[in-house]
């Protein structure tokens, strides 16, 4: 259940203890609150779920909608200003830096936020918008704006959001 704490310990050489990570890093606290809010959301206690998410946002500066689906061992590094929308899906072993938005471009009651694959890194200030897929093992550079599908193993850089394939 607390494998996200282990992920932070392995990721950040400055982290000295699990206690420090949980109480002093905003990312793990936001993920802890999100697990509670997401459970409440899945059993249709929408108001209470949003209330828990709002407390989390106030405490951590990270906004995760309770409807978002988040895989295992997500690391939100620094985290302040991150926004993860309701229909966003994030795979396992991803890293997201501060100021990242996984947002929508429509207001329909459909899938409107990105699906992020496994082992994806999303750099500071990047905006990933719409119901697109970010392929496994991809890297999105700082301040990139991504509104199109990203194949597995790609590197996207700003400002022009150019795709650099490793192949």
């Amino acid at each position: 259940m607390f494998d996200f704490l282990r992920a932070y310990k392995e990721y950040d050489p400055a982290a000295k203890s699990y206690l420090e990570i949980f109480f002093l890093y905003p990312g793990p606290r936001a993920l802890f609150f999100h697990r509670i809010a997401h459970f409440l959301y899945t059993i249709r206690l929408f108001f209470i779920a949003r209330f828990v998410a709002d407390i989390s946002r106030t405490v951590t500066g990270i906004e995760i909608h309770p409807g978002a689906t988040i895989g295992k061992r997500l690391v939100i590094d620094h985290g302040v200003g991150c926004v993860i929308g309701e229909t966003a899906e994030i795979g396992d072993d991803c890293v997201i830096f501060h100021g990242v938005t996984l947002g929508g471009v429509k207001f329909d009651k459909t899938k409107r936020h990105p699906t992020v694959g496994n082992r994806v890194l999303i750099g500071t200030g990047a905006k990933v918008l719409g119901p697109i897929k970010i392929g496994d093992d991809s890297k999105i550079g700082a301040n990139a704006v991504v509104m199109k599908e990203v194949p597995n193993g790609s590197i996207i850089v700003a400002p022009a959001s150019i795709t650099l394939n490793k192949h």
Side-chain angles (χ1 to χ4, degrees), residues 19 21 41 53 55 73 79 93 98 106 111 134 153 156-157:
L19 198 62
I21 293 166
Y41 193 83
I55 291 169
R73 297 174 299 278
D93 302 306
H98 57 282
K106 301 184 213 177
K111 170 88 168 123
I134 306 300
I156 306 295
V157 295

Side-chain angles (χ1 to χ4, degrees), residues 18 38 46 54 61-62 91 102-104 109 117 120 135 143 160 167:
Y18 292 117
H38 185 70
F46 300 124
D54 189 62
I62 299 168
L102 301 180
K109 291 186 184 239
V120 172
N143 297 315
H167 314 293

Side-chain angles (χ1 to χ4, degrees), residues 29-103:
R29 284 183 289 155
L31 292 170
F32 177 77
F33 279 116
H34 173 71
R35 300 292 185 208
I36 296 167
H38 185 70
F39 170 76
L40 294 167
Y41 193 83
T42 60
I43 62 171
R44 305 184 62 77
L45 294 174
F46 300 124
F47 181 83
I48 298 169
R50 290 295 299 264
F51 187 72
V52 170
D54 189 62
I55 291 169
S56 176
R57 180 182 53 82
T58 301
V59 170
T60 66
I62 299 168
E63 183 169 343
I64 305 173
H65 191 284
T69 303
I70 297 177
K72 297 175 184 170
R73 297 174 299 278
L74 171 64
V75 171
I76 302 175
D77 196 357
H78 300 286
V80 172
C82 281
V83 177
I84 300 172
E86 177 186 23
T87 61
E89 300 172 53
I90 302 172
D92 297 336
D93 302 306
C94 293
V95 176
I96 296 177
F97 287 89
H98 57 282
V100 166
T101 298
L102 301 180

